[in-house]
Amino acid sequence: MPRDFPWLFPYVKERDPDENPLGVTVLRPLVEARLIGPNGREGSKVGALVDSGSSYTLCFDWMAQEVGVDPTDGPDMLIKIAGGLRRVYFADVRLRLCPPETVSPMGGSCSSDEGLEWASPVGFIQDWADPPWLMVLGRIGFFDRFTVVMSRLAQAVAIEDQDQFDDTYGHLIPPAPG
Amino acid sequence: MTLTSKYRSETHESSNRTALPRVKVMRVRVAPTAYDWTVATGRKMEPVDLSQELRECAGQWVALRGGRVVEVRETPYALVMALHDRGIDDATILRAPGPAEPELVGFG
């Protein structure tokens, strides 16, 4: 059974300050996740970028094949990603978020008993030879499933359940009419 | 005054100002913020430091387990095949950016 919220993930340090002209340490809000196919087949555990700037949750196309999904049966659209225009096919799959213990240091089984699973449409990016990330957790498919708080100051991303946003900020939001 | 009208007012005023002389900045470094989270809270969250591992495998796909690189390949597909062949299913797959590669600041 997955552990209770919140799940706190330290940022991942990608580059040292001396590799950056501004002297900035490059830190990423990175978690680990797997795709789960409709037949229960588990995909590889990949580093997944938590990206509030991405409208959708996206994966590299062969990850669909790995879990037995043919996304070309689903709806598709052209999306501008990392400066390029790419065809993305969407399919309903399950995602499994691995608990923080597997991230620090990277490694751990991320079994169904440990991870959090949910169903979501995921876009599979076609014909991209060398994508920077295999999985991007975006606003649909991740930010609509969890309350996500990212802090560069604390160098961590906290993931809470859906109702946490209302618990924290609900008093600032007017009641719905009717 | 609403925020919108205030903004318009300031924008209008600024457009009438004389342009400031351009100053050549010799050195730009991002200083630590005035607010130091660790000092303020007494807590420190250490990031997962993969910079050395990624630097050593620059431009390739790496599988990490327990903070160590267990496999490296040029494509993610080849890496997954290599992991399958070795029976490794608990490593995490990442791409190591090349040293001269522009930093990715936005994906979506």
Side-chain angles (χ1 to χ4, degrees):
Chain A
M1 183 175 181
R3 54 177 279 189
D4 293 338
F5 289 112
W7 286 19
L8 189 67
F9 298 85
Y11 276 12
V12 170
K13 182 178 168 185
E14 184 180 287
R15 294 188 192 192
D16 282 319
D18 59 7
E19 297 176 85
N20 180 287
L22 299 182
V24 171
T25 303
V26 177
L27 298 167
R28 303 281 188 192
L30 198 71
V31 298
E32 294 174 316
R34 291 184 193 273
L35 284 185
I36 311 295
N39 52 6
R41 193 185 304 172
E42 295 185 3
S44 298
K45 183 154 65 88
V46 300
L49 185 69
V50 178
D51 187 357
S52 64
S54 175
S55 300
Y56 309 101
T57 291
L58 303 168
C59 287
F60 192 40
D61 57 358
W62 63 254
M63 293 174 67
Q65 301 166 26
E66 195 181 24
V67 298
V69 170
D70 182 2
T72 58
D73 290 340
D76 68 290
M77 66 169 87
L78 283 172
I79 295 178
K80 195 168 186 180
I81 303 170
L85 204 57
R86 304 193 185 278
R87 176 74 56 188
V88 175
Y89 288 90
F90 286 84
D92 289 323
V93 295
R94 293 188 68 76
L95 295 116
R96 181 187 300 160
L97 179 66
C98 306
E101 291 81 10
T102 65
V103 177
S104 182
M106 291 221 159
S109 61
C110 189
S111 68
S112 57
D113 291 339
E114 302 168 312
L116 277 171
E117 287 190 25
W118 71 101
S120 172
V122 169
F124 292 93
I125 307 165
Q126 305 298 297
D127 302 325
W128 195 359
D130 204 15
W133 304 97
L134 291 181
M135 184 185 292
V136 173
L137 299 169
R139 299 197 297 276
I140 293 174
F142 190 68
F143 283 79
D144 60 354
R145 172 60 185 83
F146 302 102
T147 297
V148 183
V149 180
M150 292 189 278
S151 173
R152 165 76 192 197
L153 293 168
Q155 303 184 2
V157 53
I159 293 169
E160 305 253 25
D161 210 348
Q162 287 169 316
D163 55 7
Q164 186 60 44
F165 191 89
D166 187 59
D167 290 349
T168 306
Y169 304 108
H171 66 287
L172 300 171
I173 300 172
Chain B
M1 178 182 288
T2 65
L3 283 175
T4 305
S5 63
K6 180 174 183 292
Y7 171 75
R8 283 181 180 152
S9 172
E10 289 177 352
T11 303
H12 178 70
E13 287 169 10
S14 65
S15 66
N16 291 334
R17 289 182 193 142
T18 305
L20 292 171
R22 299 184 68 178
V23 177
K24 187 174 182 181
V25 177
M26 300 303 292
R27 180 173 177 273
V28 178
R29 301 287 286 183
V30 176
T33 58
Y35 176 81
D36 187 315
W37 189 84
T38 298
V39 170
T41 64
R43 290 185 286 273
K44 184 170 176 59
M45 189 84 178
E46 289 290 349
V48 177
D49 188 354
L50 298 179
S51 57
Q52 183 177 339
E53 287 78 8
L54 296 177
R55 195 182 307 118
E56 289 171 356
C57 305
Q60 302 200 76
W61 288 85
V62 299
L64 293 152
R65 185 170 61 179
R68 299 178 62 182
V69 175
V70 295
E71 193 65 70
V72 182
R73 288 290 188 274
E74 290 191 355
T75 69
Y77 181 76
L79 181 60
V80 167
M81 291 299 103
L83 293 173
H84 284 178
D85 289 346
R86 293 177 57 188
I88 297 174
D89 67 353
D90 59 352
T92 303
I93 298 173
L94 283 175
R95 185 176 179 280
E101 195 172 304
E103 183 185 330
L104 187 71
V105 297
F107 192 90

